[in-house]
Amino acid sequence: MQIKNLDHLGLVAGLIDELGLVELTNEQIEPHGLEHVSAGQVVKAMILNALGFLSAPLYLFSEFFESKSVSHLLGEGVEANHLNDDRLGRVLDRLYEEGTSSFFLKVALQAVKRFEIDIRQRHLDATSMSVEGEYRCALEEEAKSET
């Protein structure tokens, strides 16, 4: 018997599955006959790795999954050694070629549909925006008050 730990990654994987991110990614990136894992499975693996509280270079990526139940998280037949830096790099290159902004928009729209999110009201977190100088209307009002 071999025991593998899922930690919180099982919940994250379930949410990714419910969102349909793997299928959406696979629609955007054509599969190749020699690949062991689809582009969608690679994206899912990258998200799980990013939320795994570790920071490691891509060439150590597969080591993260060696202690995890990879087939349970990513799909039957997927092994940790399939998630090598070459495969990840090819998927990242393809996502860049397809356009990361348009891909993100497709993911966001799919989330809105799948989770029935009400988008009639929106909020922009502008905490990282800054404005310097005086507003033109303030200068004009100041000039009028002086006359």
Side-chain angles (χ1 to χ4, degrees):
M1 179 188 295
Q2 189 176 22
I3 297 173
K4 301 250 180 176
N5 194 359
L6 289 180
D7 293 322
H8 62 287
L9 300 178
L11 293 172
V12 177
L15 186 60
I16 291 169
D17 292 341
E18 196 170 327
L19 175 59
L21 182 62
V22 171
E23 296 80 10
L24 182 65
T25 306
N26 290 339
E27 289 172 12
Q28 298 301 304
I29 299 177
E30 294 279 329
H32 187 278
L34 299 176
E35 298 167 350
H36 295 287
V37 291
S38 72
Q41 289 170 313
V42 170
V43 169
K44 183 178 181 181
M46 287 191 280
I47 293 169
L48 294 173
N49 179 263
L51 297 175
F53 307 122
L54 295 173
S55 177
L58 284 182
Y59 71 88
L60 297 175
F61 190 87
S62 63
E63 289 182 14
F64 171 79
F65 287 97
E66 288 177 1
S67 63
K68 310 287 185 271
S69 178
V70 181
S71 61
H72 184 75
L73 292 170
L74 299 176
E76 205 57 44
V78 179
E79 299 173 10
N81 63 354
H82 295 154
L83 301 167
N84 59 56
D85 58 336
D86 291 332
R87 180 69 183 119
L88 273 61
R90 284 192 297 271
V91 170
L92 290 171
D93 286 344
R94 292 291 315 197
L95 282 172
Y96 178 78
E97 290 167 8
E98 293 293 322
T100 53
S101 295
S102 65
F103 179 70
F104 178 78
L105 179 61
K106 290 174 185 174
V107 172
L109 289 174
Q110 183 149 311
V112 166
K113 290 178 187 172
R114 293 258 173 120
F115 301 124
E116 299 177 358
I117 299 170
D118 182 5
I119 58 171
R120 288 179 290 177
Q121 296 180 1
R122 291 167 289 289
H123 172 72
L124 170 64
D125 180 1
T127 55
S128 62
M129 297 180 187
S130 64
V131 177
E132 292 185 28
E134 296 183 35
Y135 288 100
R136 182 180 213 161
C137 60
L139 292 173
E140 290 171 357
E141 285 183 28
E142 186 178 308
K144 287 180 185 177
S145 65
E146 289 177 2
T147 54

